Amino acid sequence: MHRGVVAALMLTLAGAIPAGLYLGTASAGPPPPVLVNFTIPHHPPTAGRSFAGLAIVNESNAETLGSIECDAEVAGKVLRAREQTFFTPGHTFSQVVVCSWRIPAGAGGKTLLLANGDHRAHVDVADSHYGSPEFSWRVKRTA
């Protein structure tokens, strides 16, 4: 018998652990596969220009990306995302969605956040909901 189970049994019998509370291990198997990858470019955004700042990559080979939210904000102003969807030839499901934003001309030196309130970029695929990490960039001033 496993030592942890024996210890829990002894504590239960001694009254230290209520009899209804069991310490056990569960084997749930491997975690489900990650079906979405969030990638960002290596270059920072520039004030007054469009910035393609996020690519949402569909790692599923059978499901389409849906319910995409990827608005950003700079200096407290929400920037609505422009979403471009790309498909693999011969398939009907989306493979990549690129989110881009028009960076205000006066945003140089400020921080662009891929976060709006309490959420980040979100996407649904295959009945699962995925949220991106929180990304931020320092906006370059135009020359």
Side-chain angles (χ1 to χ4, degrees):
M1 191 181 277
H2 189 268
R3 284 193 302 210
V5 174
V6 171
L9 181 60
M10 289 172 46
L11 289 171
T12 301
L13 293 174
I17 298 176
L21 179 64
Y22 298 101
L23 298 176
T25 59
S27 176
V34 174
L35 299 178
V36 176
N37 189 6
F38 297 91
T39 62
I40 59 173
H42 291 288
H43 63 280
T46 301
R49 297 195 179 139
S50 184
F51 176 61
L54 177 69
I56 302 170
V57 181
N58 186 352
E59 300 290 342
S60 163
N61 289 317
E63 299 289 335
T64 191
L65 298 173
S67 184
I68 299 165
E69 298 175 24
C70 54
D71 292 341
E73 91 177 36
V74 64
K77 180 181 177 186
V78 174
L79 304 178
R80 297 288 171 219
R82 177 175 177 233
E83 299 167 7
Q84 295 176 288
T85 304
F86 299 91
F87 296 87
T88 300
H91 293 89
T92 58
F93 56 90
S94 55
Q95 278 302 114
V96 177
V97 174
V98 175
C99 300
S100 61
W101 311 276
R102 181 76 177 159
I103 309 301
K110 295 183 172 79
T111 301
L112 173 69
L113 296 171
L114 180 57
N116 183 6
D118 61 349
H119 67 277
R120 300 171 295 265
H122 293 277
V123 65
D124 293 330
V125 64
D127 296 326
S128 295
H129 189 71
Y130 295 90
S132 74
E134 200 168 298
F135 297 114
S136 66
W137 302 266
R138 177 71 62 196
V139 178
K140 289 179 16 181
R141 290 180 168 82
T142 53

